[in-house]
Amino acid sequence: MLILWSVIKEVFLPGAAGAVAAIAALKYLSSKFVEQQLSKDLEKHKTELSQRTESLKTQLSIYAHEQNVATSRVDGQKAEAIKNVYSAIRGWINPTTIIISGCPLVNASEENEFQFYSKTAEEAHAAAKKLADVLADHAIYFDEETYRELYEMSIICLEATAYFLRPIRRDIAEGRQVSGSLNAIQIEKNKLSGTWENKLLPINSRMTIKFRAILNISKA
């Protein structure tokens, strides 16, 4: 501004008539100076704003990535939980349905038939206990309704195999005749079959559909 004023004095002030022109020139130059300063400030502000925007975008991108990673991790853990629980369910279903279908040995002796049911029932009972444990370990990954239904299923599995196994263990402990044991086994097998058909099979079907939906798997 001092330089501008010196120019004005040399150019416009020698004559009295130049006073008005000098004032006008001063106003004009001052206005231009202010405009230039405002333009510089505006450009500086725009640059700073752009830098801050890019920084914010980077931070948001990092946050979004972290959220995606966290979500993917939870989804992966949930998928693993479903896999483990479903595997435990199948671990119980396999020996149980074998019991229901009957002894696969052709012309088996009563002793062999008894041993078959005893061995398979122990496997089913152990699988039922494992299902209860696996479900408890993965409870956090299921909503309340799903967990309640799975819990009910595990209890039914445990009770059903326990009831079937009880006369077998009792007869072994008391040394009873195998023929009498097979009669009791047949009665319990019919009960087990009814429990499977009327209670457990419907729950298993619902859980399979729900698991497929959670995992976004379409049935072929």
Side-chain angles (χ1 to χ4, degrees), residues 33-44:
F33 177 78
V34 171
E35 287 181 6
Q36 290 177 355
Q37 289 299 113
L38 287 175
S39 296
K40 290 180 180 179
D41 290 343
L42 180 59
E43 288 300 320
K44 180 180 179 181

Side-chain angles (χ1 to χ4, degrees), residues 5-15 18 21-22:
W5 179 245
S6 298
V7 172
I8 290 171
K9 287 194 297 181
E10 293 177 2
V11 176
F12 296 104
L13 291 185

Side-chain angles (χ1 to χ4, degrees), residues 74-209:
V74 171
D75 288 343
Q77 292 171 344
K78 182 180 292 186
E80 185 68 17
I82 291 174
K83 173 187 173 183
N84 292 338
V85 170
Y86 186 76
S87 177
I89 291 174
R90 293 302 309 173
W92 179 86
I93 290 176
N94 291 339
T96 301
T97 52
I98 289 175
I99 291 172
I100 293 172
S101 64
C103 180
L105 302 177
V106 179
N107 298 323
S109 65
E110 290 184 342
E111 179 63 31
N112 286 338
E113 189 173 350
F114 177 82
Q115 291 300 326
F116 160 78
Y117 282 117
S118 175
K119 178 177 179 294
T120 311
E122 291 288 357
E123 291 177 359
H125 191 57
K129 291 191 290 185
K130 180 179 179 180
L131 171 59
D133 291 339
V134 170
L135 180 58
D137 291 340
H138 297 81
I140 194 173
Y141 297 105
F142 298 99
D143 60 80
E144 185 176 352
E145 180 183 353
T146 302
Y147 177 77
R148 188 184 301 115
E149 197 159 16
L150 286 169
Y151 175 77
E152 178 186 356
M153 183 181 191
S154 70
I155 295 300
I156 295 174
C157 290
L158 197 58
E159 290 179 346
T161 51
Y163 288 144
F164 182 84
L165 189 58
R166 183 182 299 168
I168 296 176
R169 287 182 174 178
R170 182 193 61 214
D171 290 352
I172 292 175
E174 296 178 359
R176 293 189 179 184
Q177 293 293 324
V178 171
S179 57
S181 298
L182 290 177
N183 291 333
I185 287 174
Q186 186 60 48
I187 293 173
E188 293 301 327
K189 187 173 77 170
N190 292 337
K191 293 179 182 178
L192 181 62
S193 178
T195 300
W196 165 248
E197 291 290 339
N198 299 321
K199 294 182 178 180
L200 293 172
L201 183 57
I203 296 177
N204 182 65
S205 298
R206 289 196 298 272
M207 289 300 98
T208 300
I209 293 173

Side-chain angles (χ1 to χ4, degrees), residues 208-209 212 216-220:
T208 300
I209 293 173
R212 285 180 177 274
N216 197 27
I217 298 174
S218 299
K219 186 175 181 180

Side-chain angles (χ1 to χ4, degrees), residues 27-93:
K27 288 182 178 181
Y28 173 77
L29 293 174
S30 297
S31 175
K32 284 295 183 180
F33 177 78
V34 171
E35 287 181 6
Q36 290 177 355
Q37 289 299 113
L38 287 175
S39 296
K40 290 180 180 179
D41 290 343
L42 180 59
E43 288 300 320
K44 180 180 179 181
H45 179 70
K46 287 169 64 177
T47 300
E48 291 176 351
L49 183 60
S50 177
Q51 292 173 346
R52 291 172 61 185
T53 300
E54 290 302 318
S55 176
L56 181 59
K57 285 181 179 179
T58 301
Q59 293 176 17
L60 289 174
S61 177
I62 293 173
Y63 175 76
H65 176 70
E66 290 175 345
Q67 290 298 106
N68 288 335
V69 170
T71 301
S72 297
R73 185 181 298 114
V74 171
D75 288 343
Q77 292 171 344
K78 182 180 292 186
E80 185 68 17
I82 291 174
K83 173 187 173 183
N84 292 338
V85 170
Y86 186 76
S87 177
I89 291 174
R90 293 302 309 173
W92 179 86
I93 290 176

